[in-house]
Structure formats: structure tokens, C-alpha cells
Amino acid sequence: MLSLNVLRRSQLSPLRRHIINARSAAYHLSPLSLGQSLRLSNLRFETTSTKGKTQAAPQPPPPPPRKLAYPERLCVYHAGTARGTFLACLKLSTLFIFVFFGFVVTPAYYNEGGLSLTVLRTTLAAIVPMVFVAYATSPFVAFIHLRLPPFARQSEDMLRRFVKSIPPQTELDITTMSFIAKPRTSKVMLSELKPVNRRFGIVNLARDTTAENATREWYRFRAVGNFNVQMNTAPRVPWAWDNIMTIITKQQT
């Protein structure tokens, strides 16, 4: 019996140790108190809200681009809407007269009586107005645009400084009217223009177009070399063309 009791105690001792260890582990893993739970939840909430604010913070908008006072192509000369409209209508009218007398009236008289003085008169009535209008109005300049560098577009003071000492390589876009009153733009360097007196005073500015015409195909119109610049009605900077014209005159001398 004694040996049996000793054997039972030896078997029960490991079991008691496992039970004690399990109780101690359960004690250490017991839930936190109410105060500790509140503190832990508040800490988690603050951390989460801080991360959310950091991620959702809007980026500052980029600064708006600086608005310049003048465009890259500034109109420094305008011949006037009324004058341009009148010349366009005149060109088209003479074109219609040429078509009517040259292809309707003249063939009708020729078929009726052959070659006669009347046929000669109707032929001249078709050709003379068209040639005269083309000769007198082809140099007419409707617009002149000045190509500005970035610094000259910032303010009127900077523009006045640029125009006062404008370099000879400055580019001008001179717009004339073709034979059918279509706008035709010629890109001209300031150094190419020279004051002249041609066609009974109709042409007052000219340039040499020999090199440009040599590189053009035979079927293209020849480059415009004669210009007629009259009274300026530019709305924004009418003084700019006066200064440019003064510099062109000084280039000749």
C-alpha cells in the first residue's frame, strides 16, 4: 500500500505542475482593465487620425503663370477697316468687269461682225481697269505685326525701350492683299526695308526680293517687294510704328 501511494503521488506531481503553469499563463493573459483599454483605444485613434490627415492633406496649387502685357505678334500698323474694305471691293469689281467684257461681250461682238473697232474697245474695257487697279493697289499694306522678345512683352516701359533701340534682325509680318483681295503675309527683316519713292509716290517702302524669288518654284507668285504704308490707325501702340519708321529712315542715310 505504501508503495502504491508513493507511485500515485509521483504520477500526480507533473499534472499539478502543468495546472499551475496554465493558471499563471491565464493570469498573465487576462484582459486589461477599463482604464488601460480606454488609453490604448485613444492612442490608436490619434495615430490613425494623424496618418489620415497626413495622407489627405491637399497639395498647394501651382502659382498661376504670369500674364504678359503684349502678345508675341503685336500689331503696330493698321491701315483702317474702311480703307481695306473699299480696296477689296474694288479689286473684286474689276475682276468681274474683266470676266464680263473679256468672256461675254467681246466674243459676242466678234462672232457678230468679226474683228472690228468695237471688239477692240470691249477688249480694252476688260484689260485696262484690271491692270490699273492691280498696279495701283498691289503695294497696299493692311497690317504690320512686330515680333516681340519675351522681355519686351512685360510692360509698356519695356516695349518702349525695345522699340527705341530695336535691332536690325527684328522680324516684321507685313500683310498685303493679293489680286483677288486675299491676305498675303510677307516676313521681312527690319534691315531689309528701305524708304523709296516709286509708282508716282504710291510705293514708299521697298526691299530686295531677288534672292527669295530665286528659290521659289516657277508656278508660285513672286515675293512682294513694294509696300505702301499710309496713315496708321493701330488701336494699342500707334507710336511704335512711328519709331520704327524713323529707324528705317536712318538706316538709309
Side-chain angles (χ1 to χ4, degrees):
M1 292 295 293
L2 183 58
S3 61
L4 184 59
N5 292 332
V6 173
L7 181 60
R8 289 178 178 175
R9 290 178 181 176
S10 62
Q11 292 177 353
L12 291 175
S13 58
L15 182 60
R16 290 177 180 176
R17 291 177 183 174
H18 287 295
I19 293 172
I20 293 172
N21 293 333
R23 289 179 178 177
S24 62
Y27 175 78
H28 289 294
L29 295 176
S30 61
L32 298 174
S33 63
L34 181 59
Q36 292 176 346
S37 300
L38 291 175
R39 292 177 184 175
L40 183 59
S41 62
N42 291 335
L43 181 61
R44 290 177 180 175
F45 177 76
E46 291 177 358
T47 306
T48 306
S49 62
T50 305
K51 290 182 179 179
K53 290 180 181 180
T54 304
Q55 295 177 357
Q59 297 292 334
R66 185 177 180 181
K67 187 177 181 180
L68 299 176
Y70 299 101
E72 184 180 358
R73 293 177 71 251
L74 178 63
C75 181
V76 296
Y77 175 83
H78 190 285
T81 305
R83 194 183 310 169
T85 305
F86 171 76
L87 289 180
C89 294
L90 182 63
K91 285 175 175 287
L92 295 177
S93 299
T94 54
L95 184 61
F96 290 147
I97 291 174
F98 171 78
V99 172
F100 177 72
F101 279 92
F103 295 95
V104 178
V105 177
T106 302
Y109 280 110
Y110 181 79
N111 294 331
E112 182 180 351
L115 186 61
S116 62
L117 187 61
T118 305
V119 174
L120 180 61
R121 290 173 180 173
T122 55
T123 303
L124 292 176
I127 296 176
V128 171
M130 184 186 64
V131 173
F132 175 76
V133 171
Y135 179 82
T137 62
S138 59
F140 173 75
V141 176
F143 307 100
I144 297 179
H145 289 83
L146 174 65
R147 295 275 183 174
L148 296 178
F151 76 90
R153 302 168 55 191
Q154 297 178 5
S155 63
E156 184 178 352
D157 183 44
M158 299 299 293
L159 178 62
R160 287 183 179 274
R161 293 182 183 181
F162 172 73
V163 173
K164 187 177 180 180
S165 59
I166 188 170
Q169 295 78 17
T170 304
E171 189 175 281
L172 299 173
D173 294 340
I174 303 178
T175 303
T176 55
M177 286 193 298
S178 66
F179 181 74
I180 57 174
K182 180 181 178 181
R184 186 180 180 185
T185 303
S186 304
K187 294 185 178 181
V188 182
M189 293 292 180
L190 183 63
S191 58
E192 298 177 0
L193 294 175
K194 298 178 181 179
V196 294
N197 187 6
R198 301 175 183 173
R199 298 189 187 182
F200 308 101
I202 298 176
V203 178
N204 55 3
L205 285 178
R207 65 169 179 145
D208 187 9
T209 59
T210 305
E212 186 175 352
N213 288 330
T215 59
R216 291 196 173 195
E217 293 79 2
W218 62 270
Y219 55 86
R220 295 185 60 187
F221 289 107
R222 301 296 90 184
V224 180
N226 299 315
F227 304 102
N228 176 22
V229 180
Q230 301 178 8
M231 185 177 60
N232 184 16
T233 61
R236 296 191 65 179
V237 286
W239 49 266
W241 176 248
D242 296 336
N243 295 343
I244 294 174
M245 196 64 186
T246 302
I247 293 175
I248 293 174
T249 306
K250 291 180 179 180
Q251 288 180 168
Q252 180 67 14
T253 58

